[in-house]
Amino acid sequence: MFSSVAQLARANPFHAPALQPDRPAARPRGLAAAAVEEHSCEYGSLKFYALCGVGGVLSCGLTHTAVVPLDLVKCRMQVDPQKYKGIFNGFSVTLKEDGVRGLAKGWAPTFIGYSMQGLCKFGFYEVFKVLYSNILGEENSYLWRTSLYLASSASAEFFADIALAPMEAAKVRIQTQPGYANTLRDAAPKMYKEEGLFAFYKGVAPLWMRQIPYTMMKFACFERTVEALYKFVVPKPRSECSKAEQLVVTFVAGYIAGVFCAIVSHPADSVVSVLNKEKGSSASQVLQRLGFRGVWKGLFARIIMIGTLTALQWFIYDSVKVYFRLPRPPPPEMPESLKKKLGLTQ
């Protein structure tokens, strides 16, 4: 299976030299071979996907764990808006009731769950992007690249949420139900005893509602923003930018994408928070009870959290690619064959 994927990746239009705008017109064979040797593996190889998965583990696991206090307050604002009236009031109430240590509640399921999610999210995104682009062909991959990003990220997130769901359920119980459990070691057996395996997966459908639109926006907006920044903002070609300068572009594009991600996914995030706290409720019942205004509670906190989170995730992910010397193709350019069809070349 993986050998066939690697073969397809070699012809992938997002890796083809014709789509790399900063490619020199001609290069001696010796220099070309040296350039290839700079990469630690081939684009689309098993090692490439594995290291992309490692990048996903680090980018999602570390960043989500770092913002556990903000996530805890945001969840409590969604579940009990009468008590936690705003982000600053939420921090104040939490500190009074639980102390500083209370702000770290749920760090273990957060780290484990989002590390598993990152592995699937970023690793499978690269896999699906290669597979779908080869199904479409070179010209259609360029013309429909936004749809390609959307489809690839949605497919990856479907599997990522299955990996995340058990830990997300435990995290919400720990953070929003005082006295239920203080650690994952206490929460998981208690949840299983009360509701069986269903306790860990009853929130997977709302997770898909929240995370799939979020991830589609995260990847598609990021890819197109990077493309726009290099085209309209950065004063020199990508090939002339240093690695540090390229990572700055990555961070800026990631933050812009993160703001849109937060807005798109917030209503479903509110439903997930309430659903995992309550027994016997369905997503539709929670949505009806919260109402239009209720599902937007905590949006400001989520924009701050997700904007910063998404920017850091892309920065870490791209830094991992740089560290391991993975292929990092520039934004795609119109294929020569398509230029000829459109009469853009002589």
Side-chain angles (χ1 to χ4, degrees), residues 120-121 124-126 128-129 132 146-160 211-221:
C120 298
K121 184 199 297 273
F124 285 154
Y125 173 71
E126 301 288 356
F128 284 117
K129 188 166 73 167
Y132 293 161
T146 302
S147 298
L148 175 66
Y149 302 145
L150 292 170
S152 302
S153 55
S155 301
E157 189 61 37
F158 177 85
F159 296 101
Q211 290 297 131
I212 289 179
Y214 163 84
T215 301
M216 292 169 72
M217 181 66 72
K218 174 179 180 175
F219 282 85
C221 185

PDB file of all heavy atoms in Angstrom, residues 120-121 124-126 128-129 132 146-160 211-221:
ATOM      1  N   CYS A 120      -2.904  11.968  13.667  1.00  0.00           N
ATOM      2  CA  CYS A 120      -3.826  11.625  12.570  1.00  0.00           C
ATOM      3  C   CYS A 120      -4.114  12.837  11.685  1.00  0.00           C
ATOM      4  O   CYS A 120      -4.179  12.713  10.461  1.00  0.00           O
ATOM      5  CB  CYS A 120      -5.134  11.078  13.137  1.00  0.00           C
ATOM      6  SG  CYS A 120      -4.951   9.560  14.091  1.00  0.00           S
ATOM      7  N   LYS A 121      -4.304  13.999  12.301  1.00  0.00           N
ATOM      8  CA  LYS A 121      -4.685  15.196  11.555  1.00  0.00           C
ATOM      9  C   LYS A 121      -3.631  15.574  10.513  1.00  0.00           C
ATOM     10  O   LYS A 121      -3.924  15.701   9.323  1.00  0.00           O
ATOM     11  CB  LYS A 121      -4.901  16.359  12.530  1.00  0.00           C
ATOM     12  CG  LYS A 121      -5.409  17.647  11.872  1.00  0.00           C
ATOM     13  CD  LYS A 121      -5.166  18.855  12.764  1.00  0.00           C
ATOM     14  CE  LYS A 121      -5.915  18.792  14.076  1.00  0.00           C
ATOM     15  NZ  LYS A 121      -7.290  19.334  13.969  1.00  0.00           N
ATOM     16  N   PHE A 124      -2.377  12.184   8.199  1.00  0.00           N
ATOM     17  CA  PHE A 124      -3.352  11.773   7.180  1.00  0.00           C
ATOM     18  C   PHE A 124      -3.636  12.896   6.187  1.00  0.00           C
ATOM     19  O   PHE A 124      -3.992  12.631   5.034  1.00  0.00           O
ATOM     20  CB  PHE A 124      -4.651  11.302   7.837  1.00  0.00           C
ATOM     21  CG  PHE A 124      -4.563   9.943   8.463  1.00  0.00           C
ATOM     22  CD1 PHE A 124      -5.398   9.585   9.509  1.00  0.00           C
ATOM     23  CD2 PHE A 124      -3.655   9.011   8.013  1.00  0.00           C
ATOM     24  CE1 PHE A 124      -5.330   8.315  10.093  1.00  0.00           C
ATOM     25  CE2 PHE A 124      -3.562   7.744   8.581  1.00  0.00           C
ATOM     26  CZ  PHE A 124      -4.396   7.406   9.629  1.00  0.00           C
ATOM     27  N   TYR A 125      -3.505  14.158   6.609  1.00  0.00           N
ATOM     28  CA  TYR A 125      -3.711  15.250   5.658  1.00  0.00           C
ATOM     29  C   TYR A 125      -2.723  15.146   4.505  1.00  0.00           C
ATOM     30  O   TYR A 125      -3.094  15.309   3.333  1.00  0.00           O
ATOM     31  CB  TYR A 125      -3.553  16.602   6.357  1.00  0.00           C
ATOM     32  CG  TYR A 125      -3.592  17.780   5.409  1.00  0.00           C
ATOM     33  CD1 TYR A 125      -4.784  18.165   4.789  1.00  0.00           C
ATOM     34  CD2 TYR A 125      -2.438  18.509   5.113  1.00  0.00           C
ATOM     35  CE1 TYR A 125      -4.820  19.241   3.910  1.00  0.00           C
ATOM     36  CE2 TYR A 125      -2.472  19.583   4.242  1.00  0.00           C
ATOM     37  CZ  TYR A 125      -3.660  19.944   3.641  1.00  0.00           C
ATOM     38  OH  TYR A 125      -3.687  20.995   2.756  1.00  0.00           O
ATOM     39  N   GLU A 126      -1.464  14.888   4.828  1.00  0.00           N
ATOM     40  CA  GLU A 126      -0.459  14.745   3.778  1.00  0.00           C
ATOM     41  C   GLU A 126      -0.770  13.552   2.886  1.00  0.00           C
ATOM     42  O   GLU A 126      -0.602  13.615   1.657  1.00  0.00           O
ATOM     43  CB  GLU A 126       0.940  14.591   4.401  1.00  0.00           C
ATOM     44  CG  GLU A 126       1.382  15.747   5.278  1.00  0.00           C
ATOM     45  CD  GLU A 126       1.723  17.007   4.491  1.00  0.00           C
ATOM     46  OE1 GLU A 126       1.685  16.974   3.244  1.00  0.00           O
ATOM     47  OE2 GLU A 126       2.050  18.032   5.129  1.00  0.00           O
ATOM     48  N   PHE A 128      -3.832  12.112   2.300  1.00  0.00           N
ATOM     49  CA  PHE A 128      -5.016  12.362   1.479  1.00  0.00           C
ATOM     50  C   PHE A 128      -4.760  13.431   0.418  1.00  0.00           C
ATOM     51  O   PHE A 128      -5.322  13.361  -0.678  1.00  0.00           O
ATOM     52  CB  PHE A 128      -6.201  12.760   2.368  1.00  0.00           C
ATOM     53  CG  PHE A 128      -6.830  11.616   3.091  1.00  0.00           C
ATOM     54  CD1 PHE A 128      -6.831  11.555   4.481  1.00  0.00           C
ATOM     55  CD2 PHE A 128      -7.425  10.581   2.390  1.00  0.00           C
ATOM     56  CE1 PHE A 128      -7.414  10.493   5.155  1.00  0.00           C
ATOM     57  CE2 PHE A 128      -8.008   9.498   3.047  1.00  0.00           C
ATOM     58  CZ  PHE A 128      -8.004   9.459   4.434  1.00  0.00           C
ATOM     59  N   LYS A 129      -3.912  14.407   0.714  1.00  0.00           N
ATOM     60  CA  LYS A 129      -3.619  15.444  -0.277  1.00  0.00           C
ATOM     61  C   LYS A 129      -2.927  14.835  -1.496  1.00  0.00           C
ATOM     62  O   LYS A 129      -3.225  15.188  -2.637  1.00  0.00           O
ATOM     63  CB  LYS A 129      -2.765  16.555   0.336  1.00  0.00           C
ATOM     64  CG  LYS A 129      -2.600  17.757  -0.589  1.00  0.00           C
ATOM     65  CD  LYS A 129      -2.063  18.980   0.126  1.00  0.00           C
ATOM     66  CE  LYS A 129      -0.608  18.854   0.475  1.00  0.00           C
ATOM     67  NZ  LYS A 129      -0.013  20.156   0.884  1.00  0.00           N
ATOM     68  N   TYR A 132      -5.689  12.407  -3.336  1.00  0.00           N
ATOM     69  CA  TYR A 132      -6.742  13.135  -4.050  1.00  0.00           C
ATOM     70  C   TYR A 132      -6.188  13.934  -5.224  1.00  0.00           C
ATOM     71  O   TYR A 132      -6.833  14.053  -6.262  1.00  0.00           O
ATOM     72  CB  TYR A 132      -7.489  14.067  -3.086  1.00  0.00           C
ATOM     73  CG  TYR A 132      -8.303  13.362  -2.031  1.00  0.00           C
ATOM     74  CD1 TYR A 132      -8.709  14.019  -0.870  1.00  0.00           C
ATOM     75  CD2 TYR A 132      -8.670  12.030  -2.174  1.00  0.00           C
ATOM     76  CE1 TYR A 132      -9.461  13.371   0.103  1.00  0.00           C
ATOM     77  CE2 TYR A 132      -9.414  11.372  -1.206  1.00  0.00           C
ATOM     78  CZ  TYR A 132      -9.807  12.046  -0.062  1.00  0.00           C
ATOM     79  OH  TYR A 132     -10.548  11.405   0.891  1.00  0.00           O
ATOM     80  N   THR A 146      -8.310  24.574  -3.625  1.00  0.00           N
ATOM     81  CA  THR A 146      -9.011  24.856  -2.364  1.00  0.00           C
ATOM     82  C   THR A 146      -9.912  23.690  -1.983  1.00  0.00           C
ATOM     83  O   THR A 146      -9.938  23.271  -0.810  1.00  0.00           O
ATOM     84  CB  THR A 146      -9.834  26.151  -2.476  1.00  0.00           C
ATOM     85  OG1 THR A 146      -8.964  27.235  -2.812  1.00  0.00           O
ATOM     86  CG2 THR A 146     -10.524  26.463  -1.151  1.00  0.00           C
ATOM     87  N   SER A 147     -10.634  23.153  -2.939  1.00  0.00           N
ATOM     88  CA  SER A 147     -11.472  21.972  -2.678  1.00  0.00           C
ATOM     89  C   SER A 147     -10.627  20.779  -2.277  1.00  0.00           C
ATOM     90  O   SER A 147     -11.031  19.966  -1.436  1.00  0.00           O
ATOM     91  CB  SER A 147     -12.295  21.637  -3.927  1.00  0.00           C
ATOM     92  OG  SER A 147     -13.165  22.694  -4.260  1.00  0.00           O
ATOM     93  N   LEU A 148      -9.444  20.671  -2.874  1.00  0.00           N
ATOM     94  CA  LEU A 148      -8.523  19.595  -2.515  1.00  0.00           C
ATOM     95  C   LEU A 148      -8.088  19.710  -1.061  1.00  0.00           C
ATOM     96  O   LEU A 148      -8.071  18.717  -0.321  1.00  0.00           O
ATOM     97  CB  LEU A 148      -7.309  19.640  -3.439  1.00  0.00           C
ATOM     98  CG  LEU A 148      -6.170  18.668  -3.144  1.00  0.00           C
ATOM     99  CD1 LEU A 148      -6.619  17.231  -3.354  1.00  0.00           C
ATOM    100  CD2 LEU A 148      -4.966  18.970  -4.030  1.00  0.00           C
ATOM    101  N   TYR A 149      -7.746  20.930  -0.630  1.00  0.00           N
ATOM    102  CA  TYR A 149      -7.359  21.144   0.768  1.00  0.00           C
ATOM    103  C   TYR A 149      -8.524  20.816   1.709  1.00  0.00           C
ATOM    104  O   TYR A 149      -8.332  20.206   2.769  1.00  0.00           O
ATOM    105  CB  TYR A 149      -6.933  22.598   0.990  1.00  0.00           C
ATOM    106  CG  TYR A 149      -5.793  23.074   0.122  1.00  0.00           C
ATOM    107  CD1 TYR A 149      -5.765  24.388  -0.341  1.00  0.00           C
ATOM    108  CD2 TYR A 149      -4.741  22.232  -0.224  1.00  0.00           C
ATOM    109  CE1 TYR A 149      -4.721  24.853  -1.133  1.00  0.00           C
ATOM    110  CE2 TYR A 149      -3.694  22.692  -1.021  1.00  0.00           C
ATOM    111  CZ  TYR A 149      -3.693  23.996  -1.482  1.00  0.00           C
ATOM    112  OH  TYR A 149      -2.661  24.453  -2.265  1.00  0.00           O
ATOM    113  N   LEU A 150      -9.724  21.248   1.328  1.00  0.00           N
ATOM    114  CA  LEU A 150     -10.906  21.005   2.163  1.00  0.00           C
ATOM    115  C   LEU A 150     -11.189  19.514   2.303  1.00  0.00           C
ATOM    116  O   LEU A 150     -11.441  19.011   3.406  1.00  0.00           O
ATOM    117  CB  LEU A 150     -12.118  21.726   1.577  1.00  0.00           C
ATOM    118  CG  LEU A 150     -12.093  23.256   1.616  1.00  0.00           C
ATOM    119  CD1 LEU A 150     -13.237  23.832   0.792  1.00  0.00           C
ATOM    120  CD2 LEU A 150     -12.178  23.766   3.054  1.00  0.00           C
ATOM    121  N   ALA A 151     -11.165  18.791   1.181  1.00  0.00           N
ATOM    122  CA  ALA A 151     -11.469  17.355   1.207  1.00  0.00           C
ATOM    123  C   ALA A 151     -10.402  16.579   1.972  1.00  0.00           C
ATOM    124  O   ALA A 151     -10.723  15.669   2.760  1.00  0.00           O
ATOM    125  CB  ALA A 151     -11.596  16.824  -0.220  1.00  0.00           C
ATOM    126  N   SER A 152      -9.140  16.922   1.771  1.00  0.00           N
ATOM    127  CA  SER A 152      -8.045  16.211   2.442  1.00  0.00           C
ATOM    128  C   SER A 152      -8.094  16.412   3.950  1.00  0.00           C
ATOM    129  O   SER A 152      -7.926  15.460   4.729  1.00  0.00           O
ATOM    130  CB  SER A 152      -6.695  16.693   1.896  1.00  0.00           C
ATOM    131  OG  SER A 152      -6.606  16.495   0.513  1.00  0.00           O
ATOM    132  N   SER A 153      -8.323  17.651   4.375  1.00  0.00           N
ATOM    133  CA  SER A 153      -8.361  17.942   5.807  1.00  0.00           C
ATOM    134  C   SER A 153      -9.594  17.332   6.474  1.00  0.00           C
ATOM    135  O   SER A 153      -9.513  16.835   7.602  1.00  0.00           O
ATOM    136  CB  SER A 153      -8.315  19.448   6.045  1.00  0.00           C
ATOM    137  OG  SER A 153      -9.353  20.111   5.351  1.00  0.00           O
ATOM    138  N   ALA A 154     -10.733  17.343   5.776  1.00  0.00           N
ATOM    139  CA  ALA A 154     -11.943  16.735   6.340  1.00  0.00           C
ATOM    140  C   ALA A 154     -11.760  15.235   6.521  1.00  0.00           C
ATOM    141  O   ALA A 154     -12.163  14.656   7.544  1.00  0.00           O
ATOM    142  CB  ALA A 154     -13.144  17.019   5.437  1.00  0.00           C
ATOM    143  N   SER A 155     -11.157  14.582   5.540  1.00  0.00           N
ATOM    144  CA  SER A 155     -10.916  13.135   5.630  1.00  0.00           C
ATOM    145  C   SER A 155      -9.981  12.805   6.784  1.00  0.00           C
ATOM    146  O   SER A 155     -10.201  11.848   7.534  1.00  0.00           O
ATOM    147  CB  SER A 155     -10.314  12.625   4.318  1.00  0.00           C
ATOM    148  OG  SER A 155     -11.173  12.876   3.227  1.00  0.00           O
ATOM    149  N   ALA A 156      -8.932  13.605   6.939  1.00  0.00           N
ATOM    150  CA  ALA A 156      -7.980  13.368   8.024  1.00  0.00           C
ATOM    151  C   ALA A 156      -8.623  13.585   9.389  1.00  0.00           C
ATOM    152  O   ALA A 156      -8.415  12.801  10.330  1.00  0.00           O
ATOM    153  CB  ALA A 156      -6.768  14.294   7.860  1.00  0.00           C
ATOM    154  N   GLU A 157      -9.430  14.630   9.506  1.00  0.00           N
ATOM    155  CA  GLU A 157     -10.038  14.949  10.796  1.00  0.00           C
ATOM    156  C   GLU A 157     -11.067  13.917  11.224  1.00  0.00           C
ATOM    157  O   GLU A 157     -11.286  13.707  12.424  1.00  0.00           O
ATOM    158  CB  GLU A 157     -10.675  16.334  10.743  1.00  0.00           C
ATOM    159  CG  GLU A 157     -11.146  16.860  12.093  1.00  0.00           C
ATOM    160  CD  GLU A 157     -10.009  16.995  13.093  1.00  0.00           C
ATOM    161  OE1 GLU A 157      -8.888  17.363  12.688  1.00  0.00           O
ATOM    162  OE2 GLU A 157     -10.236  16.735  14.292  1.00  0.00           O
ATOM    163  N   PHE A 158     -11.714  13.266  10.272  1.00  0.00           N
ATOM    164  CA  PHE A 158     -12.676  12.207  10.608  1.00  0.00           C
ATOM    165  C   PHE A 158     -12.005  11.158  11.495  1.00  0.00           C
ATOM    166  O   PHE A 158     -12.558  10.741  12.523  1.00  0.00           O
ATOM    167  CB  PHE A 158     -13.208  11.568   9.323  1.00  0.00           C
ATOM    168  CG  PHE A 158     -14.142  10.414   9.559  1.00  0.00           C
ATOM    169  CD1 PHE A 158     -15.498  10.630   9.779  1.00  0.00           C
ATOM    170  CD2 PHE A 158     -13.669   9.106   9.573  1.00  0.00           C
ATOM    171  CE1 PHE A 158     -16.358   9.566  10.017  1.00  0.00           C
ATOM    172  CE2 PHE A 158     -14.519   8.037   9.810  1.00  0.00           C
ATOM    173  CZ  PHE A 158     -15.872   8.268  10.029  1.00  0.00           C
ATOM    174  N   PHE A 159     -10.820  10.728  11.112  1.00  0.00           N
ATOM    175  CA  PHE A 159     -10.095   9.714  11.889  1.00  0.00           C
ATOM    176  C   PHE A 159      -9.454  10.326  13.139  1.00  0.00           C
ATOM    177  O   PHE A 159      -9.372   9.670  14.184  1.00  0.00           O
ATOM    178  CB  PHE A 159      -9.028   9.055  11.019  1.00  0.00           C
ATOM    179  CG  PHE A 159      -9.594   8.280   9.861  1.00  0.00           C
ATOM    180  CD1 PHE A 159      -9.596   8.815   8.589  1.00  0.00           C
ATOM    181  CD2 PHE A 159     -10.148   7.029  10.050  1.00  0.00           C
ATOM    182  CE1 PHE A 159     -10.133   8.120   7.520  1.00  0.00           C
ATOM    183  CE2 PHE A 159     -10.689   6.314   8.994  1.00  0.00           C
ATOM    184  CZ  PHE A 159     -10.689   6.863   7.715  1.00  0.00           C
ATOM    185  N   ALA A 160      -9.029  11.575  13.038  1.00  0.00           N
ATOM    186  CA  ALA A 160      -8.389  12.234  14.182  1.00  0.00           C
ATOM    187  C   ALA A 160      -9.353  12.369  15.357  1.00  0.00           C
ATOM    188  O   ALA A 160      -8.951  12.220  16.518  1.00  0.00           O
ATOM    189  CB  ALA A 160      -7.869  13.606  13.762  1.00  0.00           C
ATOM    190  N   GLN A 211     -14.922  19.835  14.902  1.00  0.00           N
ATOM    191  CA  GLN A 211     -13.548  19.741  14.436  1.00  0.00           C
ATOM    192  C   GLN A 211     -13.402  19.668  12.924  1.00  0.00           C
ATOM    193  O   GLN A 211     -12.415  20.159  12.376  1.00  0.00           O
ATOM    194  CB  GLN A 211     -12.879  18.517  15.064  1.00  0.00           C
ATOM    195  CG  GLN A 211     -12.615  18.640  16.561  1.00  0.00           C
ATOM    196  CD  GLN A 211     -11.647  19.760  16.888  1.00  0.00           C
ATOM    197  OE1 GLN A 211     -11.905  20.584  17.759  1.00  0.00           O
ATOM    198  NE2 GLN A 211     -10.524  19.804  16.194  1.00  0.00           N
ATOM    199  N   ILE A 212     -14.344  19.034  12.225  1.00  0.00           N
ATOM    200  CA  ILE A 212     -14.185  18.929  10.771  1.00  0.00           C
ATOM    201  C   ILE A 212     -14.281  20.301  10.101  1.00  0.00           C
ATOM    202  O   ILE A 212     -13.399  20.665   9.304  1.00  0.00           O
ATOM    203  CB  ILE A 212     -15.169  17.903  10.169  1.00  0.00           C
ATOM    204  CG1 ILE A 212     -14.744  16.484  10.584  1.00  0.00           C
ATOM    205  CG2 ILE A 212     -15.213  18.012   8.645  1.00  0.00           C
ATOM    206  CD1 ILE A 212     -15.648  15.374  10.085  1.00  0.00           C
ATOM    207  N   PRO A 213     -15.307  21.131  10.414  1.00  0.00           N
ATOM    208  CA  PRO A 213     -15.290  22.490   9.847  1.00  0.00           C
ATOM    209  C   PRO A 213     -14.069  23.290  10.293  1.00  0.00           C
ATOM    210  O   PRO A 213     -13.483  24.039   9.495  1.00  0.00           O
ATOM    211  CB  PRO A 213     -16.586  23.114  10.390  1.00  0.00           C
ATOM    212  CG  PRO A 213     -17.465  21.966  10.714  1.00  0.00           C
ATOM    213  CD  PRO A 213     -16.543  20.876  11.175  1.00  0.00           C
ATOM    214  N   TYR A 214     -13.680  23.123  11.555  1.00  0.00           N
ATOM    215  CA  TYR A 214     -12.492  23.810  12.078  1.00  0.00           C
ATOM    216  C   TYR A 214     -11.242  23.435  11.281  1.00  0.00           C
ATOM    217  O   TYR A 214     -10.465  24.295  10.850  1.00  0.00           O
ATOM    218  CB  TYR A 214     -12.317  23.456  13.559  1.00  0.00           C
ATOM    219  CG  TYR A 214     -10.944  23.746  14.125  1.00  0.00           C
ATOM    220  CD1 TYR A 214     -10.624  25.013  14.587  1.00  0.00           C
ATOM    221  CD2 TYR A 214      -9.970  22.753  14.192  1.00  0.00           C
ATOM    222  CE1 TYR A 214      -9.358  25.286  15.113  1.00  0.00           C
ATOM    223  CE2 TYR A 214      -8.711  23.010  14.703  1.00  0.00           C
ATOM    224  CZ  TYR A 214      -8.406  24.277  15.160  1.00  0.00           C
ATOM    225  OH  TYR A 214      -7.159  24.537  15.665  1.00  0.00           O
ATOM    226  N   THR A 215     -11.047  22.137  11.081  1.00  0.00           N
ATOM    227  CA  THR A 215      -9.846  21.672  10.393  1.00  0.00           C
ATOM    228  C   THR A 215      -9.865  22.027   8.911  1.00  0.00           C
ATOM    229  O   THR A 215      -8.825  22.356   8.330  1.00  0.00           O
ATOM    230  CB  THR A 215      -9.688  20.150  10.572  1.00  0.00           C
ATOM    231  OG1 THR A 215      -9.612  19.859  11.972  1.00  0.00           O
ATOM    232  CG2 THR A 215      -8.417  19.632   9.907  1.00  0.00           C
ATOM    233  N   MET A 216     -11.040  21.954   8.293  1.00  0.00           N
ATOM    234  CA  MET A 216     -11.149  22.371   6.889  1.00  0.00           C
ATOM    235  C   MET A 216     -10.732  23.833   6.739  1.00  0.00           C
ATOM    236  O   MET A 216      -9.983  24.190   5.818  1.00  0.00           O
ATOM    237  CB  MET A 216     -12.581  22.154   6.389  1.00  0.00           C
ATOM    238  CG  MET A 216     -12.979  20.689   6.271  1.00  0.00           C
ATOM    239  SD  MET A 216     -14.745  20.461   5.976  1.00  0.00           S
ATOM    240  CE  MET A 216     -14.879  21.020   4.274  1.00  0.00           C
ATOM    241  N   MET A 217     -11.204  24.666   7.639  1.00  0.00           N
ATOM    242  CA  MET A 217     -10.825  26.083   7.611  1.00  0.00           C
ATOM    243  C   MET A 217      -9.336  26.251   7.937  1.00  0.00           C
ATOM    244  O   MET A 217      -8.628  27.047   7.307  1.00  0.00           O
ATOM    245  CB  MET A 217     -11.675  26.872   8.603  1.00  0.00           C
ATOM    246  CG  MET A 217     -11.389  28.361   8.635  1.00  0.00           C
ATOM    247  SD  MET A 217     -11.825  29.199   7.104  1.00  0.00           S
ATOM    248  CE  MET A 217     -13.620  29.165   7.207  1.00  0.00           C
ATOM    249  N   LYS A 218      -8.861  25.477   8.909  1.00  0.00           N
ATOM    250  CA  LYS A 218      -7.475  25.574   9.360  1.00  0.00           C
ATOM    251  C   LYS A 218      -6.490  25.298   8.225  1.00  0.00           C
ATOM    252  O   LYS A 218      -5.516  26.043   8.037  1.00  0.00           O
ATOM    253  CB  LYS A 218      -7.247  24.580  10.502  1.00  0.00           C
ATOM    254  CG  LYS A 218      -5.805  24.465  10.995  1.00  0.00           C
ATOM    255  CD  LYS A 218      -5.750  23.467  12.144  1.00  0.00           C
ATOM    256  CE  LYS A 218      -4.345  23.305  12.681  1.00  0.00           C
ATOM    257  NZ  LYS A 218      -4.321  22.434  13.869  1.00  0.00           N
ATOM    258  N   PHE A 219      -6.739  24.254   7.460  1.00  0.00           N
ATOM    259  CA  PHE A 219      -5.800  23.875   6.410  1.00  0.00           C
ATOM    260  C   PHE A 219      -6.012  24.679   5.126  1.00  0.00           C
ATOM    261  O   PHE A 219      -5.046  25.160   4.530  1.00  0.00           O
ATOM    262  CB  PHE A 219      -5.904  22.372   6.131  1.00  0.00           C
ATOM    263  CG  PHE A 219      -5.199  21.524   7.146  1.00  0.00           C
ATOM    264  CD1 PHE A 219      -5.830  21.145   8.327  1.00  0.00           C
ATOM    265  CD2 PHE A 219      -3.900  21.104   6.944  1.00  0.00           C
ATOM    266  CE1 PHE A 219      -5.182  20.372   9.271  1.00  0.00           C
ATOM    267  CE2 PHE A 219      -3.237  20.326   7.878  1.00  0.00           C
ATOM    268  CZ  PHE A 219      -3.884  19.956   9.046  1.00  0.00           C
ATOM    269  N   ALA A 220      -7.264  24.809   4.693  1.00  0.00           N
ATOM    270  CA  ALA A 220      -7.528  25.523   3.441  1.00  0.00           C
ATOM    271  C   ALA A 220      -7.168  27.004   3.557  1.00  0.00           C
ATOM    272  O   ALA A 220      -6.525  27.569   2.667  1.00  0.00           O
ATOM    273  CB  ALA A 220      -8.987  25.356   3.041  1.00  0.00           C
ATOM    274  N   CYS A 221      -7.574  27.636   4.660  1.00  0.00           N
ATOM    275  CA  CYS A 221      -7.264  29.049   4.864  1.00  0.00           C
ATOM    276  C   CYS A 221      -5.762  29.252   4.997  1.00  0.00           C
ATOM    277  O   CYS A 221      -5.204  30.209   4.449  1.00  0.00           O
ATOM    278  CB  CYS A 221      -7.995  29.572   6.098  1.00  0.00           C
ATOM    279  SG  CYS A 221      -7.810  31.347   6.374  1.00  0.00           S
TER     280      CYS A 221
END
